Amino acid sequence: MPGSAAPFRLVTIGAASGPRRDSFVESCAGVTARMPHSLSWAEALDGRDWLEGRAGGDCFVRFDSPDADRAALAALYRRGERAAAEAGIETLSAAAFAAMRDGDIGSPAQLAFGLADAARELVASGKARGAAFSAEPPDIGCAFDKAAARDRLAASGIAVPAALPAEGGFDALAGAMAAARMPRVFVKLRHGSAAAGMIALARNGPDWVATTTAVIGEDGRPYATRAIRRLNDRREIARIVDRLAPLGLHVEQWVPKIGLAGRIVDLRLVVIGGTRIFPVLRASRHPITNLHIGGERGGADALAAAMGDAAWRDLLETARRSARCFPSALSVGIDMAVLAGGRRHAVLEVNIFGDHIRDFAMDGQSVHQAQAAHIAAIMAARRASGGREAA
């Protein structure tokens, strides 16, 4: 049993508090033999010795999302401002960040660049003292960049939706759709998460229809709403696309997803250690299936049965292959569409922090319990090898 092994030191860096942090900390009980030392990103980056004597070959550092922790987000936004500006992305100053309201999309690229830069600093200092990490900066940066992640997966022969150029605003997008003869696309923030600012966009001749989580506030800022809106006014759709474009877009083909029981469905598959898979069905009456905006969660048995054993096994192997494209990651969340007909599938996104699924267990283990057990196994292997990285 992992819990019976000699204790190791576990550090988590994410939000100072919240359901994600609490879920993982509670899952460590009886698994790691020692509760984790939890830090926010702000605390880890405040200039003090964030490891506080916890380094060495017996220390594992787990990165997690800053979630809604304002101090952690502010620290990461500061780190990413210069890189985002150099990439031509709209940025938020410290004052603009302080003025953000609930639902404000902010500058996801600035946050992603800050996260990657912070991870580089912490990994460098931690590895110098022998610590192991749940993910390394190149994989973190790639996973937060939808275009880069898509290209990495495609280079490994994994099926992904076709992509369109995403430079410019609505007129450029309409031209690219026409040139590619692609009348249905998903417009996403390239570095965004949680479906913030997402648009499922369809064109039929002069008619346009958009299903979106984006709304422009009276202050001119783009906001994410959980009240999914359906728009058919071309000018309103164009206004939203044009407002999101300075934040950096990713545009991909809208692939036809399979339906079950009158719902559109897809999957979030959490892959731990490249092998263990937790598949979660997401179902919705509209094209955006994310659970926090109305998607219905369920087990994947009905979908597996509809696909057939061979197609389901192939899908699970694709999830494992996708995870192996991010080799340093302890776990990844793979969003996957099963195409209409049930025989083919495509990977939509890779989420480096996609492991928080509330009240979900498989074979008696939650995702975070399985992750804690895998960390314990990694550290046992490191100890057996004299503190060297386990293969």
Side-chain angles (χ1 to χ4, degrees):
M1 292 291 294
S4 64
F8 59 89
R9 295 174 172 86
L10 177 58
V11 177
T12 69
I13 298 175
S17 62
R20 293 181 62 98
R21 173 201 172 276
D22 294 346
S23 173
F24 181 75
V25 169
E26 292 165 7
S27 295
C28 290
V31 175
T32 64
R34 180 176 290 181
M35 298 302 286
H37 176 64
S38 295
L39 296 171
S40 75
W41 284 97
E43 291 170 326
L45 297 169
D46 69 1
R48 289 176 290 179
D49 180 5
W50 61 277
L51 282 170
E52 296 181 0
R54 292 175 176 85
D58 64 346
C59 182
F60 189 95
V61 182
R62 176 181 175 271
F63 290 140
D64 201 356
S65 168
D67 209 10
D69 182 334
R70 291 281 295 187
L73 289 167
L76 295 172
Y77 261 83
R78 287 194 298 271
R79 304 280 298 212
E81 185 173 3
R82 176 179 293 182
E86 290 175 349
I89 300 293
E90 179 181 311
T91 62
L92 270 67
S93 65
F97 175 85
M100 285 177 64
R101 298 184 290 140
D102 288 347
D104 194 331
I105 287 173
S107 176
Q110 182 177 345
L111 175 60
F113 291 149
L115 186 61
D117 185 68
R120 278 191 290 272
E121 176 182 315
L122 298 177
V123 168
S125 64
K127 281 203 163 188
R129 291 185 278 175
F133 287 82
S134 63
E136 301 208 10
D139 287 340
I140 293 173
C142 183
F144 269 91
D145 182 334
K146 293 180 178 65
R150 178 202 170 277
D151 291 347
R152 184 183 287 194
L153 293 168
S156 294
I158 293 168
V160 292
L164 288 181
E167 300 295 328
F170 180 80
D171 289 342
L173 171 60
M177 291 171 65
R181 297 184 178 181
M182 192 181 293
R184 288 162 37 104
V185 298
F186 265 89
V187 182
K188 305 176 180 180
L189 291 172
R190 179 168 175 169
H191 298 87
S193 63
M198 184 181 291
I199 307 170
L201 183 62
R203 180 180 189 177
N204 183 12
D207 298 325
W208 292 83
V209 177
T211 302
T212 183
T213 64
V215 62
I216 300 175
E218 294 181 359
D219 58 0
R221 297 274 322 146
Y223 289 84
T225 175
R226 297 189 181 190
I228 304 299
R229 301 190 304 148
R230 183 178 171 88
L231 311 175
N232 52 27
D233 184 327
R234 184 185 187 278
R235 289 173 299 179
E236 186 175 5
I237 295 169
R239 180 171 176 252
I240 292 173
V241 173
D242 288 344
R243 182 61 190 88
L244 293 174
L247 298 175
L249 298 179
H250 172 66
V251 181
E252 65 189 27
Q253 184 180 16
W254 177 349
V255 297
K257 297 178 183 178
I258 195 171
L260 286 177
R263 302 287 196 275
I264 298 168
V265 301
D266 62 15
L267 290 163
R268 163 65 61 87
L269 302 107
V270 181
V271 186
I272 299 173
T275 56
R276 179 86 183 275
I277 300 178
F278 286 76
V280 180
L281 187 78
R282 307 187 302 184
S284 177
R285 293 188 181 276
H286 53 70
I288 301 173
T289 60
N290 297 65
L291 299 178
H292 74 292
I293 50 176
E296 301 170 15
R297 187 184 68 189
D301 290 350
L303 177 58
M307 294 176 65
D309 289 346
W312 180 249
R313 286 195 302 269
D314 188 39
L315 180 147
L316 295 179
E317 181 55 26
T318 294
R320 295 186 184 97
R321 290 174 57 209
S322 299
R324 289 196 291 269
C325 289
F326 297 82
S328 72
L330 170 71
S331 71
V332 290
I334 310 291
D335 290 346
M336 198 177 302
V338 178
L339 277 57
R343 295 295 178 265
R344 296 183 299 123
H345 55 267
V347 175
L348 305 176
E349 293 185 23
V350 176
N351 304 272
I352 207 78
F353 299 145
D355 61 347
H356 179 48
I357 304 174
R358 299 185 186 188
D359 305 320
F360 179 82
M362 192 174 69
D363 299 328
Q365 262 190 335
S366 71
V367 176
H368 279 163
Q369 286 170 334
Q371 194 177 107
H374 190 72
I375 292 171
I378 289 172
M379 298 309 291
R382 278 171 60 92
R383 189 177 299 113
S385 65
R388 298 184 300 275
E389 294 288 342

